Amino acid sequence: MRRRTVLATALAAAAAAAPGVARAAGPGPSLTPAGTTTLDSRAIYFVSYDGLVNNNSFQKNGLLTYKGHQYAVWYSADRNAVVGRRALGSGTWQTVEVGHTLRYDDSHNVISMGVSKTDGRLHLNMDSHSDGFTYVKSAAGLMDDPSGTGWTASRFGAPQSTLDGLALTSRFTYPQFVATPEGRLQLSYRAGVSGNGRNALAEYDGTRWAALGEWTGSTGTYTSEHGSSTARNMYLHGIDYDRHGRLHAFFTWREQNGAVMCASGGITNHDTGYVYSDDRGRTWRDGQGTVVGVTGGSDRVSVTDAGLVVDPLNPDHSLMNQESQSTDSAGRPHAIISYVPGRFGQCTTDYVAERTANGRAFHLRRDASGSWRKTEIPVPLDSSQRTKLVLDGYDNAYAVLPYGRIAAASAASGYTDWRLLYDGAGLDAFGEVVVDETRIAQDGVLSVMYQEKSSGTTPSALRVVDFRLPA
C-alpha cells in the first residue's frame, strides 16, 4: 500500500510540473498600435483605496471578447451601470444601461462579466464590497448572434440581489467569472472581510446556479519575527483554466493582526502561493500535487498547509495583493507580483509612498522542470498599483504596468530580456488598467481599457487602446 501511495504522489507531482508541451519558438514580443476608441467621455471618477471603480485591474472581466464582438462595462457620470459592445475592428460602441446605479464611492464595487456558453447569456456581478451584490443576466442567446440581435435594455433582466434566488453570503466581495471547458460558468468570490475571509465558488449549468462552497480557510496561526495572527484571507491573483482543463490560482495571504509587520504603515500581505484543481475546482492541490483542500468540505486550503508557498516574503515589503496571472501554451502557470525589494530596506513604513518610490514588479513562473523562476522587470512601478500579465500566441510575456506602460520578454530567452515596448505617452492614464484577457487568443490583439486622470470627482474619458501582437 505504501509503495502505491508513493507512486501516486510521484505521478501527481509530475503532472503538476509538466501538464503539456509548449509551442515551438516563434517571433519575439512586439506591439503595433491599432487605434483608440472612447467608451464614455464622462465616466464616473473618484479615487478610493488608491484606485478607480472603472479601472481596478483585479476585476474579471471588465473587458472581454466573444464570437467576434468585444464587451465592456463601467459606471457613467450619473452612476448608471453601462454595458457596451462593438464588432472587433469597429470604432463604434453600442451602449445600454442595465438598471442599476452605483451605491457608494468605493472603488472595489467593480462590474465583472462572464459568458455562459451553454445558453449564450452575458452575466454581470457588481457593486459589492463586503456586503451584498447586484446580479444581472441577459436573455438567452444574446451572445451567440450579436450581429442579428439588438442591443437594448430589454435584452437584460431586472437587477437581483441573489443569483436567481441563490443567496450566497451577506459579506460578498471580488466576483470573478470563469468558464469551464464544458461551457459551465463559475463565480469565484470572497465570503467575509479583508483579513478574515474565505474564497468560495458557485456554478451555473445553463439552467440554475448552485453553491459549490468555500475552499479556503481563515483560521490557523501565522507567526513572523514581529508577532502572530490567527485570522486572515487569501487574495487571488486570478482563477483561470488553461487549454488542458486545469484551474490555476496564485495568491497572497493577508493577516488580520498588524502585529506581524515591522511598522503600522505597511500592509500585512505575505508570501506568494499557488494551487491548482483538475476537477473543476472541487479538489485543490499544491504545486507538488498534494491535496490541500476540498471545496465545500472541512479540509480547506490553509496558511498552515506545507507546500503552498512558491515565493516566500514576510509582511515588511508591501507585497501587493490581487495582481495578475496567466498560463502558457503548455499549461504552465505565470504570475506578476510586486513589492519593495530588500535593497531599498527591510521595513516599509508607508506602503503607498514606498511602493511608488521603490516598488518593482517581478515575473514568477514555473519552468518545464517544475522549478519556480523569478525575474525582476527593470521598469520602476512609479505607482502603488497593480500590473497585468498576458501571454501572446508564442508564449511571449507582456506586463501592462500602471499608466498603460507595456514591458515584454520573449519565451525564447527564458523571459530574461524584459524591456519597455510602450511608455504610455499620450494616454494620460490614471494608474491601473484593465486588459481583455480573452481577445488575444481570438485575433491576436491586446486591448487595454484605461481612464484619463482627473481631479476630485470630475468625470473623465474612459477609453480602449488596441495593439496587434505578433501574428
Side-chain angles (χ1 to χ4, degrees):
M1 183 65 69
R2 177 176 174 80
R3 180 179 178 185
R4 188 175 301 169
T5 301
V6 171
L7 177 59
T9 301
L11 290 173
V21 177
R23 290 191 182 95
S30 65
L31 298 170
T32 302
T36 302
T37 56
T38 299
L39 291 166
D40 192 333
S41 61
R42 298 186 72 254
I44 195 169
Y45 187 99
F46 59 85
V47 179
S48 97
Y49 298 99
D50 308 309
L52 302 180
V53 71
N54 287 329
N55 273 100
N56 262 307
S57 67
F58 56 74
Q59 66 190 104
K60 184 183 182 75
N61 296 282
L63 195 63
L64 69 79
T65 296
Y66 189 76
K67 292 192 174 181
H69 279 66
Q70 189 173 49
Y71 300 81
V73 283
W74 69 95
Y75 296 103
S76 60
D78 58 5
R79 311 180 76 84
N80 279 305
V82 181
V83 186
R85 78 171 181 184
R86 65 168 174 171
L88 292 182
S90 171
T92 303
W93 291 84
Q94 298 173 290
T95 63
V96 63
E97 295 179 354
V98 295
H100 177 74
T101 55
L102 178 67
R103 294 176 297 159
Y104 312 120
D105 283 358
D106 183 335
S107 68
H108 287 63
N109 288 6
V110 299
I111 308 174
S112 295
M113 291 186 287
V115 179
S116 52
K117 298 178 181 179
T118 55
D119 60 359
R121 295 183 193 268
L122 180 66
H123 301 252
L124 310 178
N125 193 297
M126 66 193 98
D127 208 352
S128 59
H129 188 194
S130 301
D131 58 4
F133 61 82
T134 296
Y135 169 66
V136 172
K137 70 177 182 181
S138 77
L142 179 66
M143 305 297 283
D144 292 332
D145 183 24
S147 298
T149 307
W151 192 245
T152 63
S154 64
R155 302 289 182 182
F156 292 86
Q160 307 176 49
S161 59
T162 64
L163 298 178
D164 294 336
L166 176 64
L168 296 174
T169 173
S170 61
R171 294 283 192 171
F172 180 100
T173 315
Y174 304 127
Q176 296 188 70
F177 288 108
V178 58
T180 71
E182 300 82 15
R184 297 193 298 271
L185 184 66
Q186 295 180 324
L187 176 62
S188 167
Y189 61 96
R190 184 187 72 193
V193 297
S194 175
N196 190 8
R198 287 86 50 208
N199 291 334
L201 288 170
E203 186 173 86
Y204 178 76
D205 64 5
T207 302
R208 59 184 292 272
W209 282 97
L212 301 185
E214 297 176 357
W215 60 275
T216 70
S218 57
T219 59
T221 299
Y222 168 79
T223 302
S224 75
E225 61 187 287
H226 311 292
S228 297
S229 175
T230 57
R232 69 204 45 81
N233 72 281
M234 176 192 285
Y235 273 118
L236 296 177
H237 287 322
I239 185 165
D240 300 277
Y241 284 97
D242 65 27
R243 66 188 60 209
H244 310 286
R246 176 168 289 180
L247 184 60
H248 303 262
F250 283 92
F251 63 88
T252 61
W253 294 109
R254 174 173 290 182
E255 298 300 320
Q256 185 180 64
N257 191 346
V260 298
M261 298 186 295
C262 62
S264 61
I267 193 167
T268 60
N269 298 339
H270 63 90
D271 297 321
T272 298
Y274 168 77
V275 291
Y276 72 90
S277 173
D278 282 335
D279 59 1
R280 309 302 186 252
R282 272 66 172 179
T283 304
W284 295 91
R285 298 175 182 271
D286 65 19
Q288 299 306 309
T290 302
V291 174
V292 288
V294 177
T295 300
S298 59
D299 181 19
R300 300 179 183 179
V301 182
S302 169
V303 73
T304 57
D305 287 327
L308 296 179
V309 174
V310 298
D311 191 66
L313 189 70
N314 69 21
D316 296 340
H317 294 274
S318 295
L319 175 68
M320 180 49 70
N321 52 284
Q322 296 169 284
E323 200 106 32
S324 186
Q325 67 174 41
S326 188
T327 54
D328 61 28
S329 59
R332 292 190 288 264
H334 296 240
I336 294 290
I337 63 174
S338 65
Y339 56 88
V340 178
R343 65 179 181 271
F344 296 108
Q346 296 299 326
C347 179
T348 56
T349 59
D350 182 329
Y351 86 90
V352 172
E354 292 185 50
R355 281 180 57 85
T356 302
N358 298 315
R360 297 293 188 273
F362 297 81
H363 176 213
L364 178 65
R365 67 186 179 91
R366 196 166 198 180
D367 67 17
S369 71
S371 299
W372 293 97
R373 308 288 184 185
K374 186 172 72 171
T375 304
E376 181 174 336
I377 299 173
V379 181
L381 289 180
D382 295 328
S383 168
S384 65
Q385 297 180 300
R386 300 171 180 87
T387 294
K388 293 295 291 184
L389 173 68
V390 295
L391 302 179
D392 68 19
Y394 299 98
D395 288 338
N396 299 309
Y398 300 77
V400 188
L401 297 143
Y403 314 117
R405 298 166 297 164
I406 304 175
S410 67
S413 73
Y415 306 100
T416 60
D417 58 353
W418 283 97
R419 61 190 177 93
L420 191 67
L421 296 185
Y422 179 72
D423 66 4
L427 297 184
D428 196 28
F430 165 80
E432 281 187 19
V433 299
V434 171
V435 303
D436 188 337
E437 299 175 356
T438 60
R439 183 174 182 180
I440 293 171
Q442 298 184 47
D443 70 350
V445 172
L446 169 62
S447 288
V448 179
M449 182 168 73
Y450 67 96
Q451 190 160 354
E452 292 182 355
K453 293 176 186 174
S454 187
S455 60
T457 57
T458 302
S460 67
L462 184 69
R463 308 187 195 278
V464 175
V465 58
D466 297 330
F467 302 91
R468 295 197 180 281
L469 301 182

